[in-house]
Amino acid sequence: MSMKKNSASNYSWIIKNLLLAALMVLAIVGVASLALRIGTQHGKEVQVPDFTNMIYSEAVQAADAAGVQVRVTDSVYIRKMRKDAVSHQSPAPGAMVKRGRTVDLTTNSRLARRIAMPSLVGLSTSQAVSELTSKGLELGELKYVRDIATNNVMRQQYRGADIKPGTLVRAGSQINLVVGLSALDDKTYVPDLKGTKYRRAVERIHDRYLNVGTVSYDSSVKTYADSVAAVVYHQSPEAEGKPYLMGSRVSIKLTVDQDKINPESK
């Protein structure tokens, strides 16, 4: 009888210890999972600010407030932009990223350096624009000519004349691209530009294989700082889902007047 009691007691002790061990494992896993979520902000995303025209110290403050980090990875020269200011960023403004993500910044250098013109002929338009940007040059205008290969770069031009690869040009120079346009694939759509700053609006226009038309600022824009802060409040044509011929022009008007930016809040 005593042996049966001892056996039952031992069995009960083993069960209790197994249950206790299982609970401890679950607790450890739970704590570790919670710590991981807190440490990585698992599942949480933040919106990337627009760092355009900020100097590095200003960008750091804006990034800290938004929950991201910044680093300068390159520099270019843009004649009309203030020195050391951010000219490009990746990811783009408005992109949703995980908290703590590092945003790469390109700043405006103090002196215009000479850059060897890259070879763009044969590339797609998007590849050519990416190459120009990486070299510190800018897309001027897309000139479309009939060809079976739509958006295939056929010629590269600087100041109205063809330019050979390797030719030295100043950083920030605008390069025009002559590209093909097939009659079977020659349409695109106008993006919604309202609320975007000038440089971002230009990028979005080019992304749709369109050209920038007239750019104007209203009377609220009085200083250079105003022009940098100004956003599009009117565009022509509007983003209506109507197809347009590639190479068409999109004109924009910019303002810092909040009544024009947010008319529904009046």
Side-chain angles (χ1 to χ4, degrees):
M1 188 73 176
S2 176
M3 290 181 62
K4 286 184 178 182
K5 287 183 178 181
N6 289 337
S7 177
S9 177
N10 289 337
Y11 180 76
S12 176
W13 180 85
I14 292 172
I15 294 298
K16 288 180 179 180
N17 279 275
L18 287 174
L19 289 173
L20 181 60
L23 288 173
M24 290 180 65
V25 170
L26 288 173
I28 292 171
V29 171
V31 171
S33 178
L34 179 61
L36 181 62
R37 285 176 177 272
I38 294 174
T40 62
Q41 295 294 317
H42 181 73
K44 291 188 177 181
E45 290 189 330
V46 295
Q47 189 174 50
V48 177
D50 186 351
F51 299 111
T52 305
N53 204 53
M54 295 182 187
I55 60 174
Y56 182 70
S57 59
E58 295 169 339
V60 169
Q61 292 181 1
D64 185 60
V68 296
Q69 301 180 54
V70 291
R71 64 182 176 188
V72 176
T73 57
D74 199 4
S75 65
V76 297
Y77 178 79
I78 300 174
R79 186 173 60 259
K80 295 182 179 180
M81 195 173 204
R82 68 169 174 162
K83 309 310 178 194
D84 299 321
V86 175
S87 60
H88 297 88
Q89 65 183 77
S90 179
M96 300 303 295
V97 299
K98 286 187 176 181
R99 182 176 292 276
R101 169 73 180 271
T102 298
V103 179
D104 293 334
L105 306 178
T106 299
T107 57
N108 191 30
S109 63
R110 294 179 176 273
L111 298 173
R113 66 181 189 273
R114 294 279 184 172
I115 295 174
M117 179 66 201
S119 178
L120 307 176
V121 175
L123 299 181
S124 69
T125 302
S126 57
Q127 289 174 327
V129 172
S130 178
E131 182 69 8
L132 285 174
T133 301
S134 70
K135 298 297 184 183
L137 300 171
E138 295 185 4
L139 172 62
E141 187 172 283
L142 295 171
K143 300 180 178 180
Y144 281 94
V145 296
R146 286 297 176 185
D147 189 82
I148 59 172
T150 294
N151 278 317
N152 184 67
V153 178
M154 303 174 68
R155 294 160 63 189
Q156 54 193 41
Q157 298 182 329
Y158 175 62
R159 294 181 175 177
D162 289 354
I163 180 172
K164 294 180 179 179
T167 303
L168 295 179
V169 294
R170 288 187 180 276
S173 296
Q174 292 191 336
I175 305 299
N176 296 334
L177 301 178
V178 179
V179 295
L181 185 66
S182 167
L184 300 176
D185 185 23
D186 61 1
K187 297 295 192 297
T188 186
Y189 294 89
V190 176
D192 184 1
L193 306 171
K194 292 179 181 177
T196 60
K197 294 183 179 180
Y198 171 75
R199 293 195 66 82
R200 181 57 179 157
V202 170
E203 289 175 356
R204 294 190 64 187
I205 289 171
H206 287 158
D207 285 345
R208 295 291 182 90
Y209 310 115
L210 296 162
N211 284 310
V212 179
T214 303
V215 177
S216 59
Y217 296 83
D218 73 358
S219 59
S220 70
V221 180
K222 296 180 174 62
T223 64
Y224 176 73
D226 287 342
S227 70
V228 172
V231 299
V232 177
Y233 72 93
H234 181 269
Q235 65 181 82
S236 180
E238 296 279 351
E240 301 171 326
K242 176 183 176 181
Y244 284 86
L245 187 68
M246 290 181 180
S248 297
R249 296 185 179 277
V250 180
S251 296
I252 55 176
K253 296 180 180 180
L254 299 97
T255 185
V256 290
D257 185 342
Q258 289 299 317
D259 288 338
K260 290 183 177 179
I261 297 171
N262 301 303
E264 66 281 356
S265 64
K266 293 176 67 177

